[in-house]
Amino acid sequence: MVHQLPTGAKDLLPLDVAQKRWIESRIQQVFQSWGYQRIITPTVEHLRSLTAGGAVDPESVIQLHSNSIDILGLRPEFTASIARAYAARLGGNVATCPQRLYYNANVFRRRSNNTSEESFQAGVELLGASGLLADGEILMLLAESLDRVELENWQIILGDARLTGALLELFPEQYRDKVRQCLASLDRISLQEMDLPTDVKGYALELIDLRGKPKDVLSRLSNSAWTSSLTGEINYLKSLIELWESTGTTSVDRLILDLSFMQTFDYYTGIVFEVACNNYVVAQGGRYDHLLGVYHPQNISYPSIGFCINLEDLQQALQSRLPQTLVTSKCLVVAQSPKAMQSAFAYAAKLRQDLASDAIELELEFRAETEVRNHARLRGITQIAWISNDGAASLESVS
């Protein structure tokens, strides 16, 4: 009988783990340097908690059998779980804000073809903070995280759910849903073929093309005859772009403003974004100012924003820069006879204490010296310690 994993589940072999840890350790160093602290939430939640507030589509949750009347599910993402965990604890005490939290674990999602998928995410949530400084912090923290792992050719595609929603509200009500669908799928052809009044169609085509360098897009938006009532929203984005550009880092030119870029409108309330690199979406996030109120006993909400990094997509995008071999042991300790076994264990223990950062292996068989040397070479071990019956150690370099 062949035993196989369920579809979508994953085994990570040592090299996969080494590459994953290389990425995670660098990202976590950045998170911690900005004052973010790690949170761990349960893998299993009540389905009603995972889907509250429209944050998660119930169809995407892998549901579990339970003796309880409540349906349980595996977490498909972290934002809902963190919102649930912190909403009640924040109470009405704004003095505890902002809360800077980060996470790093696996998530589970059911796909549209009814298959399941396990994946790994790392990310942050900034709870109880709004405005330019909070939005700017999240964007700059994301950029620094990507630079820390030496990712190349990445771009942030930035949208604004509030502004795009306001732009759609300018359409006559009977056209909004159709235009929204075309914008979400970047379907310019369907938009052109849609039976719309000439002026409405012109505005819709103008909206779907609002993509490019931030200052160019905002200039076109400011000069549009349709947007005179949206000065406040436009000026906010202008200020955010100016804050981003003021950093003077190499990431400045990596920002693309796309006002046709949309996430779930019931969930996001401000800026939304994703990071694209070599056909991979390595990160996404946005502002959600009402979600915590869904979980709060008194429906008190706290403005919040966050992002998640898709670790497997990032690993694929980084593949050429990641470790391609495993770190080998420094030394192989060999008992030359059964009488030398205790001395071999003692010598190996001393080496591990003296060389805290190096791995020390024990030879587990009594083989000929030639076989031991060949074994060491195959494993990439450069030194052998031969332990004699009297406990003496003789060191040999292996080339």
Side-chain angles (χ1 to χ4, degrees), residues 33-137:
S33 72
W34 283 66
Y36 286 74
Q37 298 176 321
R38 187 169 185 178
I39 183 173
I40 298 176
T41 60
T43 305
V44 177
E45 296 259 12
H46 290 297
L47 180 64
R48 66 174 185 271
S49 295
L50 292 173
T51 59
V56 171
D57 180 358
E59 296 297 321
S60 71
V61 179
I62 299 174
Q63 299 180 18
L64 303 178
H65 294 290
S66 170
N67 293 329
S68 168
I69 60 172
D70 291 318
I71 301 174
L72 304 179
L74 299 176
R75 63 184 177 216
E77 54 99 65
F78 279 92
T79 303
S81 295
I82 293 174
R84 174 202 51 73
Y86 256 79
R89 298 188 187 190
L90 289 173
N93 184 10
V94 295
T96 62
C97 295
Q99 293 284 337
R100 289 180 170 89
L101 306 171
Y102 81 87
Y103 56 85
N104 178 18
N106 53 351
V107 294
F108 308 84
R109 187 174 291 270
R110 187 180 301 282
R111 296 300 180 186
S112 57
N113 60 1
N114 208 34
T115 60
S116 301
E117 181 181 77
E118 178 185 12
S119 59
F120 297 87
Q121 294 182 348
V124 302
E125 306 293 347
L126 177 56
L127 308 181
S130 62
L132 282 172
L133 289 176
D135 288 356
E137 173 171 317

Side-chain angles (χ1 to χ4, degrees), residues 350-397:
K350 185 177 185 305
L351 280 183
R352 292 188 190 102
Q353 185 176 16
D354 294 343
L355 306 172
S357 61
D358 294 316
I360 307 299
E361 287 187 25
L362 276 164
E363 166 65 17
L364 302 178
E365 300 180 43
F366 297 101
R367 295 186 284 186
E369 291 186 3
T370 300
E371 290 183 78
V372 172
R373 292 187 183 98
N374 288 337
H375 171 73
R377 291 189 186 99
L378 287 173
R379 296 293 304 277
I381 299 173
T382 58
Q383 195 171 61
I384 297 176
W386 302 97
I387 310 300
S388 62
N389 290 346
D390 61 2
S394 174
L395 296 178
E396 175 186 343
S397 295

